[in-house]
Amino acid sequence: GACLFYSMATVRLGKHAPLFSSVNLAAGKKITLGVMSLGWALVTQLGASSTGTSLMEHLESANLTDRSAASWAIITYSALGPGALAAFLQTRGQSRAPATQAQLIYSLVPLWSALVAYFTLGDESLGALSWVGGGIVMTASVLAAQANSSGSSKAGRGETAAAQQDGSAK
């Protein structure tokens, strides 16, 4: 189900991104996610209140006032970097690229995540099966991109030929 909804969101974003400001669409996405998260927290709280735990008790157990500056910097970075900036860049990119190309790029996220973890964390291990799987994903993406570009260039040549025939008929 998640793949279906993610793909639908990508297609819809590709349709609306060229029509609206990237900042407004990204902000709308983040506000919507925030409201939905708040709703989830409230529903969770209602379930917890039936067990006798109040919202204040949950917040006190989180001990948010006793956080170091470094932990707040990490929280702020995770909100701005992978959160707001990623949403803005995705919206900006999809205003310039069709949804099919965007999906090709998105399909590579697990591959790049594994490679970044392997090279930055040091203690991550990739077995032979991981390398073969990554190679298959990369090969499939390259083949799909080539098929996509040759299909669009053929369509472009067909449109040019049709335009030339219309011009010669006049």
Side-chain angles (χ1 to χ4, degrees):
C3 291
L4 173 66
F5 287 111
Y6 192 78
S7 296
M8 288 172 43
T10 302
V11 170
R12 291 193 49 84
L13 183 59
K15 183 177 183 178
H16 295 291
L19 304 174
F20 299 99
S21 159
S22 297
V23 172
N24 291 343
L25 283 174
K29 175 183 176 181
K30 290 300 168 185
I31 290 169
T32 301
L33 289 173
V35 168
M36 292 175 73
S37 296
L38 183 60
W40 182 286
L42 291 174
V43 167
T44 302
Q45 174 55 36
L46 290 175
S49 66
S50 66
T51 62
T53 308
S54 72
L55 179 60
M56 289 310 293
E57 288 173 330
H58 282 293
L59 291 176
E60 288 170 4
S61 69
N63 199 7
L64 297 176
T65 59
D66 194 27
R67 299 286 178 197
S68 69
S71 66
W72 283 112
I74 291 169
I75 291 169
T76 302
Y77 165 76
S78 67
L80 296 177
L85 181 61
F88 170 76
L89 291 175
Q90 177 184 6
T91 304
R92 177 67 66 126
Q94 282 203 246
S95 69
R96 292 170 169 77
T100 53
Q101 289 178 351
Q103 279 303 115
L104 282 174
I105 294 167
Y106 296 152
S107 70
L108 295 175
V109 168
L111 173 68
W112 294 116
S113 297
L115 288 175
V116 167
Y118 178 76
F119 287 113
T120 59
L121 298 177
D123 61 348
E124 292 294 313
S125 62
L126 295 176
L129 194 56
S130 298
W131 287 106
V132 169
I136 291 170
V137 169
M138 187 60 103
T139 303
S141 296
V142 168
L143 291 174
Q146 287 177 341
N148 190 20
S149 67
S150 69
S152 60
S153 66
K154 287 178 185 174
R157 285 195 302 268
E159 291 169 5
T160 304
Q164 288 174 348
Q165 287 176 350
D166 287 343
S168 64
K170 291 182 180 178

